[in-house]
Amino acid sequence: MSEFTSGTILLAKDKEVVRKHAVKGSVLMQLNDKFVVYLSEDNYIGEIIPESIIQLSQEIPLLYFYNFEDHQWGYRLLVQGEEVGDLHIAYEYEEEIAYSFAKKKYPDMGFNELYFGGLLEEIREELEAGSVFKESFEAIFNNCHLELFSLLAVSDEQISRLKEIMNTDYIHHDISEGMELADEFKTILGIEEMSFIRHERVVESGEYDELF
């Protein structure tokens, strides 16, 4: 079964703050001695960050982590109400880029119109003929800002280890190898438990520590 993980990680010592901003139906779950994960129905991968999360991040640093094993993984680091770092690695990154370009060119058209009308493929071919895909891939780690993980009590040694793996040379400029980084990333951070964890599954199983 493919992994589908999504949640907002914070230091266990900060969990009291969650109670001030938690939305109805959300849950808090202990990951380990150092971290807890806050789970709500919102998945904000590339989407607008929910206001409740913005408010929470104004008081404590947050790491939104997601891993949809067959498709994409990444994180968004939030501090003082702002996104200060992020990573997004997707098997279908070329398709994502093509769709982004298509939406800018044809803002009034939906995906089905773009796809079945052949416009999406037309734009994809144009981008493939140029250097857009290559340049975008080479920039995939540019906004990681790994040094800011210190705000989550990540040590200098851990940050150095993250810097060793979070670059295109380490993954041999191969998106497939980039997809496999998720487990190394979790191991270095000490969040190995963040696997097959998402709001609906945890609520159904009753594995949470607190329901709001």
Side-chain angles (χ1 to χ4, degrees):
M1 181 172 59
S2 296
E3 180 177 352
F4 180 19
T5 289
S6 171
T8 303
I9 299 167
L10 56 136
L11 290 167
K13 69 179 183 63
D14 292 334
K15 64 182 179 182
E16 288 296 325
V17 182
V18 174
R19 297 187 176 99
K20 294 164 54 178
H21 302 286
V23 297
K24 185 176 181 180
S26 60
V27 298
L28 199 60
M29 178 183 180
Q30 193 84 26
L31 276 184
N32 51 43
D33 290 341
K34 184 176 181 179
F35 294 109
V36 297
V37 59
Y38 173 64
L39 306 168
S40 68
E41 294 180 353
D42 295 306
N43 293 320
Y44 48 103
I45 303 166
E47 302 292 336
I48 295 174
I49 300 169
E51 184 59 31
S52 60
I53 297 294
I54 293 291
Q55 292 176 357
L56 183 58
S57 74
Q58 288 174 342
E59 298 192 46
I60 57 174
L62 303 174
L63 177 68
Y64 176 63
F65 175 81
Y66 57 93
N67 186 12
F68 303 161
E69 189 176 21
D70 293 335
H71 301 285
Q72 58 192 354
W73 80 275
Y75 68 79
R76 302 179 77 173
L77 184 60
L78 308 172
V79 178
Q80 295 181 347
E82 302 287 341
E83 181 175 274
V84 297
D86 73 275
L87 173 70
H88 178 72
I89 298 181
Y91 271 130
E92 304 90 355
Y93 79 98
E94 292 184 356
E95 285 72 20
E96 289 184 353
I97 293 169
Y99 182 60
S100 177
F101 270 78
K103 284 299 293 179
K104 290 176 182 177
K105 190 172 182 178
Y106 305 104
D108 297 327
M109 300 181 71
F111 177 80
N112 286 342
E113 291 177 283
L114 292 167
Y115 180 78
F116 291 109
L119 296 172
L120 195 57
E121 182 60 25
E122 180 182 302
I123 288 176
R124 192 188 192 288
E125 290 175 358
E126 290 176 4
L127 297 176
E128 194 168 24
S131 58
V132 173
F133 290 148
K134 183 178 186 299
E135 290 175 356
S136 296
F137 180 78
E138 292 301 317
I140 203 168
F141 294 104
N142 283 6
N143 204 37
C144 285
H145 298 306
L146 298 170
E147 66 282 356
L148 294 178
F149 275 84
S150 62
L151 297 171
L152 285 165
V154 175
S155 70
D156 290 343
E157 179 184 355
Q158 288 172 291
I159 290 172
S160 293
R161 290 170 62 196
L162 285 174
K163 288 180 177 179
E164 289 175 4
I165 71 167
M166 305 286 269
N167 59 80
T168 52
D169 287 337
Y170 185 82
I171 62 172
H172 303 102
H173 305 268
D174 185 333
I175 192 65
S176 295
E177 291 194 37
M179 288 295 297
E180 295 170 4
L181 274 183
D183 286 340
E184 288 185 74
F185 175 81
K186 291 192 299 181
T187 298
I188 292 172
L189 278 187
I191 56 168
E192 297 96 323
E193 299 86 352
M194 192 65 182
S195 182
F196 290 96
I197 289 176
R198 62 185 183 276
H199 178 264
E200 62 270 27
R201 195 197 70 77
V202 170
V203 169
E204 288 175 5
S205 67
E207 295 173 10
Y208 53 83
D209 294 290
E210 189 167 355
L211 171 65
F212 299 103

